Amino acid sequence: MIAQAFRDAASYHKHDRLPVARWLVHDDFEVVCGLARLEPQPIKKILAELINENPVRAFVMSKVLIQELDNL
């Protein structure tokens, strides 16, 4: 779920990024991070940066982040 949020936050399409932005302030976000054994605040910061980043740069960043998640 976190990897998909990275993909959606880096999307060229605003309609993909908007649900991620909403999810960041929802209680479920912290639950999902907890289940994944990830600290929610750094993940929230990364997702917010991806949402606000240039889409091309965000796409590249998300690929690297997803690969790092896979290595955990």
Side-chain angles (χ1 to χ4, degrees):
M1 189 167 215
I2 302 285
Q4 186 61 50
F6 286 153
R7 284 184 200 95
D8 292 346
S11 174
Y12 288 98
H13 306 288
K14 189 174 188 174
H15 68 269
D16 291 333
R17 293 189 311 263
L18 189 56
V20 178
R22 290 182 182 143
W23 184 51
L24 294 178
V25 296
H26 197 279
D27 292 340
D28 288 351
F29 175 78
E30 293 198 13
V31 171
V32 170
C33 286
L35 291 171
R37 297 179 187 229
L38 297 170
E39 288 294 324
Q41 291 308 317
I43 300 299
K44 187 178 285 193
K45 182 180 177 193
I46 290 167
L47 286 167
E49 288 175 7
L50 286 174
I51 290 167
N52 293 310
E53 186 60 68
N54 171 291
V56 173
R57 182 172 156 84
F59 177 79
V60 173
M61 290 169 58
S62 71
K63 292 294 182 187
V64 171
L65 291 164
I66 291 167
Q67 189 170 17
E68 287 182 25
L69 274 178
D70 289 342
N71 291 333
L72 291 178

